[in-house]
């Protein structure tokens, strides 16, 4: 078997230990004589899995009792519509802070349902910073404030939580579970799974229970958070295999020592990669230092004509998926939980050798 170091932005690397458990489990899951894909979501075994995964997630993130944990389908993108559908009716105002492509997409989707207003916008500097909170043009009557704590494409991250009494709605797709977070500061946290949770196909929504009552009665069942909350996310058949893998990932995180332990490793991984980039005159990262992402590290080569050669040689060295997003160019190393520190060390070593030899 030969595994590469996978720096994909998403779907992203999964822990090898989890993959090996899955392989073992597939033919005969928990003595059922079936794979987890073949059992009923109403079976005792699956209902137990669902309950355990939620309990473990609650423990990992320290989620209070007055929040519901939902596992819908549709990814983070469907939530960009479900948020206004559940929280703000036509004519109501919702505030959006746009510090990258995902925040922009969320704001644009919300305009279909409510008066979504962009209250801060970092596109003037190509999403390389976060506008000072005091400059945000917030509306007093906003139903919620939406922001993206980690913008996956430009690699820009909030290292603070915005203030105020308006319920905060956060797209944590690419930062969830990378470190502890104070859930009580948020109204809604949502995330697609395929970065730090598991395979694509399942979505996580953590919502404060009082916000479940805002949805209009005529919303379709599957668009209504309350339906998921009242049915333990079994409103219809859930994505059972993806949920099973997420459950494995939550157990793996607990074995690593939880999110405090992950935070230490993740910070160290990011620090050493940024240090290597900053110490070189050949590589650069365009993001203001205070707002650099722990999870997604874009970097540009001084000579873009070498990009192709860099990627070819990196691939040959077992370092894959380093091509940057087309809107930023250059490279991007996504170093989520499942990307081991050795992968970052190997990348730094490779970058240094490449620089020497060009
Ligand atoms: C990947 C990503 C998305 C899109 O997620 P889907 O699950 O594909 O809808 C949205 N927001 C952020 C911050 C992301 O990183």
């Amino acid at each position: 078997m030969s595994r590469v170091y996978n720096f994909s932005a998403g779907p992203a690397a999964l822990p090898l230990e989890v993959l090996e458990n899955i392989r073992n489990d597939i033919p005969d899951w928990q003595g059922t004589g079936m794979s987890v894909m073949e059992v009923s979501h109403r079976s005792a075994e699956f209902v137990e899995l669902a309950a355990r995964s939620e309990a473990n997630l609650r423990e990992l993130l320290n989620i209070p009792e007055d929040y519901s944990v939902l596992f819908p389908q549709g990814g983070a993108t469907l939530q960009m519509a479900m948020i206004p559908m559940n929280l703000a009716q036509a004519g109501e105002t919702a505030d959006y802070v746009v510090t990258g492509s995902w925040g922009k997409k969320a704001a644009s989707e919300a305009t279909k349902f409510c008066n979504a207003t962009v209250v801060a916008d970092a596109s003037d500097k190509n999403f390389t910073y976060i506008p000072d909170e005091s400059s945000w043009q917030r509306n007093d009557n906003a139903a919620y404030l939406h922001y993206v704590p980690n913008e996956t494409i430009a690699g820009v991250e909030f290292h603070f939580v915005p203030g105020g009494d308006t319920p905060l709605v956060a797209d944590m797709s690419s930062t969830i579970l990378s470190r502890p977070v104070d859930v009580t500061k948020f109204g809604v946290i949502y995330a697609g799974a395929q970065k730090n949770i598991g395979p694509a196909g399942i979505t996580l929504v953590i919502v404060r229970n009082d916000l479940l009552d805002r949805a209009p009665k005529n919303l379709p069942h599957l668009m209504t958070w309350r339906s998921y909350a009242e049915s333990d996310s079994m409103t219809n058949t859930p994505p059972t295999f993806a949920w099973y893998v997420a459950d494995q990932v939550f157990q793996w995180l607990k074995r690593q020592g939880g999110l405090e332990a992950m935070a230490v490793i993740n910070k160290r991984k990011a620090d050493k990669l940024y240090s290597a980039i900053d110490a070189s005159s050949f590589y650069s990262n365009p993001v203001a230092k205070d707002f650099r992402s722990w999870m997604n590290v874009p970097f540009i080569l001084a000579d873009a004509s070498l990009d192709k050669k860099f990627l070819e040689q990196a691939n040959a060295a077992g370092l894959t998926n380093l091509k940057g997003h087309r809107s930023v160019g250059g490279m991007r190393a996504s170093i989520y939980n499942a990307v081991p520190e050795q992968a970052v060390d190997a990348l730094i070593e490779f970058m240094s050798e490449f620089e020497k030899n060009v």
Side-chain angles (χ1 to χ4, degrees):
M1 184 183 73
S2 126
R3 294 271 299 167
V4 295
Y5 287 134
N6 179 7
F7 297 96
S8 171
L14 284 164
L16 180 57
E17 211 179 297
V18 166
L19 296 174
E20 286 172 342
N21 288 347
I22 296 170
R23 181 177 58 189
N24 284 339
D25 277 356
I26 283 206
D28 177 9
W29 178 61
Q30 288 198 208
T32 57
M34 295 172 273
S35 76
V36 69
M37 291 170 275
E38 301 164 290
V39 302
S40 167
H41 58 296
R42 310 277 181 207
S43 65
E45 290 84 0
F46 198 86
V47 168
E48 186 189 319
L49 179 157
R52 176 182 60 237
S53 67
E54 179 177 336
N56 283 337
L57 185 74
R58 281 185 181 276
E59 189 182 325
L60 285 164
L61 279 168
N62 198 13
I63 303 173
E65 279 298 307
D66 61 326
Y67 284 73
S68 293
V69 174
L70 322 177
F71 293 103
Q73 305 193 40
T77 306
L78 181 60
Q79 292 309 312
M80 291 175 187
M82 281 177 67
I83 289 156
M85 288 168 116
N86 282 269
L87 292 182
Q89 309 320 310
E92 285 189 273
T93 297
D95 287 353
Y96 279 77
V97 176
V98 175
T99 56
S101 324
W102 292 113
K104 192 172 165 188
K105 202 170 166 193
S108 148
E109 192 73 346
T111 58
K112 297 169 186 169
F113 304 95
C114 66
N115 178 22
T117 313
V118 174
V119 299
D121 184 349
S123 61
D124 58 336
K125 292 184 187 163
N126 206 20
F127 298 134
T128 53
Y129 78 113
I130 291 166
D132 196 77
E133 209 182 339
S134 63
S135 73
W136 301 0
Q137 305 286 317
R138 293 177 67 164
N139 295 293
D140 293 335
N141 60 346
Y144 60 87
L145 178 108
H146 179 283
Y147 79 113
V148 183
N150 184 65
E151 281 284 359
T152 319
I153 292 175
V156 174
E157 182 150 21
F158 283 74
H159 296 287
F160 65 95
V161 177
D165 296 329
T166 310
L168 280 181
V169 177
D171 175 357
M172 292 201 187
S173 296
S174 52
T175 185
I176 190 109
L177 301 174
S178 66
R179 77 204 76 175
V181 7
D182 182 356
V183 173
T184 64
K185 291 190 169 158
F186 295 87
V188 181
I189 291 171
Y190 70 103
Q194 64 276 15
K195 280 91 185 212
N196 251 346
I197 295 176
I202 193 163
T203 316
L204 171 66
V205 179
I206 302 166
V207 53
R208 208 176 61 218
N209 287 339
D210 62 288
L211 297 173
L212 295 173
D213 298 330
R214 291 201 197 175
K217 295 273 178 286
N218 63 351
L219 264 193
H221 224 46
L222 285 178
M223 298 294 119
T224 308
W225 287 330
R226 200 188 317 104
S227 315
Y228 294 86
E230 286 171 354
S231 65
D232 295 324
S233 296
M234 303 223 189
T235 313
N236 67 336
T237 313
T240 49
F241 185 74
W243 199 340
Y244 153 80
V245 180
D247 175 50
Q248 290 286 326
V249 170
F250 300 157
Q251 293 181 54
W252 177 81
L253 284 169
K254 283 182 65 179
R255 292 196 295 275
Q256 308 312 300
L259 302 191
E260 284 83 7
M262 292 318 296
V264 171
I265 302 168
N266 285 327
K267 174 143 197 330
R268 201 164 61 219
K269 280 154 58 184
D271 280 350
K272 61 168 90 166
L273 185 49
Y274 286 115
S275 297
I277 292 166
D278 290 344
S280 136
S281 51
F282 182 70
Y283 302 105
S284 63
N285 168 282
V287 178
K289 284 197 174 140
D290 286 347
F291 310 121
R292 285 174 165 181
S293 167
W294 287 14
M295 294 283 108
N296 310 97
V297 182
F299 59 93
I300 292 162
L301 278 53
D303 177 358
S305 73
L306 293 170
D307 284 2
K308 194 162 167 272
K309 192 171 165 195
F310 181 95
L311 288 166
E312 278 167 8
Q313 293 188 6
N315 262 319
L319 307 167
T320 65
N321 286 318
L322 283 164
K323 191 176 192 327
H325 192 272
R326 61 192 179 282
S327 65
V328 178
M331 310 299 152
R332 172 176 48 170
S334 294
I335 50 175
Y336 299 118
N337 283 340
V339 176
E341 191 162 358
Q342 299 92 287
V344 177
D345 293 337
L347 174 62
I348 292 170
E349 175 67 27
F350 170 80
M351 288 166 68
S352 153
E353 283 301 309
F354 186 86
E355 180 176 358
K356 265 186 229 145
N357 295 326
V358 291

